[in-house]
């Protein structure tokens, strides 16, 4: 049998970033169209859209208005567009007037920990679903531990990770490292640690960049 071709993909993202799950699902579409003889090594990297938000978060529409100056009408239009894009990709964006945005630092610590059990992607996807589809706060410990248990990880160990801040410093260092490399918005995809693609690009664009990263 021919050897598999290694493809490392780092995805810098946040669990409250809608375009991050869109970008991931489009990436899966691209990979499905490519040669199956790829050994894809996926690594989720931390980025906080709102590191200064308190645990209770902020109303999402209010936050968008303050951060981007969007009107209520513009915000609603954007939500409907995302809902349709999500539906086309098999993902449910369940926005409502009470939707909130939250601090995600503890979620990133658990994602770092989950990687040691090869469960990082599974946990990431479960966190996306919990936040966007179920409207659960990723800053709430109880919610986080429930999602951890759902993907088959030990919630008591996860609680210890958070209580003792076992990976807090490493996560902060990774965040700063990616920012220092010029990552100011997410999602950002880095292929084989050399080729950067920003934003939730379509599958054809992703295929082009992946093929280039495999050739050079």
């Amino acid at each position: 049998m021919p050897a598999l071709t290694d493809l490392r993909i780092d995805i810098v993202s946040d669990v409250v970033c809608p375009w991050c799950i869109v970008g991931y699902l489009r990436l899966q579409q691209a990979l499905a169209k490519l040669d199956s003889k790829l050994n894809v090594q996926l690594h989720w990297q931390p980025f906080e859209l709102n590191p200064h938000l308190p645990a209770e978060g902020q109303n999402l529409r209010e936050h968008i208005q303050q951060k981007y100056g969007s009107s209520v009408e513009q915000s609603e239009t954007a939500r409907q567009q995302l809902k349709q894009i999500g539906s086309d990709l098999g993902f449910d964006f369940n926005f409502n007037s009470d939707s909130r945005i939250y601090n995600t630092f503890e979620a990133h610590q658990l994602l770092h920990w989950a990687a040691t059990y090869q469960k990082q992607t599974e946990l990431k996807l479960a966190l996306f679903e919990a936040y966007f589809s179920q409207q659960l706060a990723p800053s709430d410990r109880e919610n986080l531990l429930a999602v951890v248990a759902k993907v088959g990880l030990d919630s008591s160990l996860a609680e210890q990770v958070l209580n003792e801040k076992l990976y807090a410093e490493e996560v902060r260092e990774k965040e700063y490292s990616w920012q220092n490399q010029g990552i100011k918005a997410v999602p950002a995809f880095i292929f084989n640690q050399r080729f950067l693609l920003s934003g939730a690009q379509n599958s054809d664009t992703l295929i082009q960049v992946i093929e280039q990263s495999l050739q050079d």
Side-chain angles (χ1 to χ4, degrees):
M1 293 180 62
L4 296 177
T5 301
D6 289 337
L7 175 63
R8 177 184 173 118
I9 307 175
D10 291 279
I11 308 178
V12 187
S13 72
D14 199 356
V15 297
V16 294
C17 162
W19 292 107
C20 292
I21 179 59
V22 169
Y24 170 80
L25 294 172
R26 287 176 173 172
L27 172 66
Q28 294 307 300
Q29 288 182 332
L31 292 172
K33 295 176 182 178
L34 287 169
D35 190 336
S36 60
K37 298 180 178 60
L38 288 176
N39 177 33
V40 178
Q41 303 151 20
L42 189 60
H43 303 267
W44 294 92
Q45 304 294 348
F47 187 98
E48 290 179 77
L49 287 173
N50 303 285
H52 305 299
L53 276 181
E56 66 271 16
Q58 181 183 18
N59 179 274
L60 180 58
R61 181 164 282 144
E62 175 186 284
H63 177 81
I64 295 298
Q65 288 173 343
Q66 291 178 0
K67 192 170 184 177
Y68 303 108
S70 302
S71 67
V72 173
E73 292 76 16
Q74 289 171 323
S75 176
E76 184 58 33
T77 298
R79 287 185 178 191
Q80 293 306 316
Q81 290 174 338
L82 270 171
K83 284 184 177 182
Q84 184 58 57
I85 291 170
S87 178
D88 292 342
L89 292 166
F91 186 83
D92 181 23
F93 285 109
N94 185 28
F95 299 112
N96 59 55
S97 59
D98 295 322
S99 293
R100 301 180 72 79
I101 194 163
Y102 299 93
N103 183 290
T104 56
F105 186 51
E106 289 200 337
H108 285 298
Q109 292 173 61
L110 291 179
L111 286 163
H112 185 94
W113 165 72
T116 65
Y117 296 93
Q118 290 75 51
K119 287 271 193 177
Q120 192 182 43
T121 294
E122 195 173 346
L123 180 58
K124 185 79 170 190
L125 297 180
L127 288 169
F128 278 135
E129 181 184 3
Y131 175 63
F132 287 113
S133 304
Q134 302 174 28
Q135 295 291 297
L136 297 176
S139 60
D140 183 283
R141 283 275 183 97
E142 186 174 334
N143 290 340
L144 286 175
L145 297 178
V147 175
V148 161
K150 181 180 178 181
V151 301
L153 289 166
D154 189 325
S155 60
S156 62
L157 287 179
E159 189 170 22
Q160 181 182 0
V161 165
L162 297 179
N163 286 338
E164 299 182 15
K165 302 184 186 301
L166 296 181
Y167 299 106
E169 185 175 347
E170 290 179 58
V171 170
R172 283 285 185 233
E173 288 176 354
K174 282 193 169 189
E175 288 178 337
Y176 294 145
S177 175
W178 289 110
Q179 291 170 24
N180 290 335
Q181 293 178 60
I183 305 294
K184 306 299 182 186
V186 290
F189 299 83
I190 301 91
F191 298 95
N192 281 340
Q193 299 180 296
R194 293 181 296 156
F195 292 85
L196 168 66
L197 185 63
S198 298
Q201 305 294 335
N202 61 45
S203 59
D204 289 339
T205 300
L206 284 158
I207 287 172
Q208 291 175 4
V209 177
I210 291 170
E211 289 179 336
Q212 184 182 3
S213 72
L214 294 173
Q215 291 170 2
D216 296 347

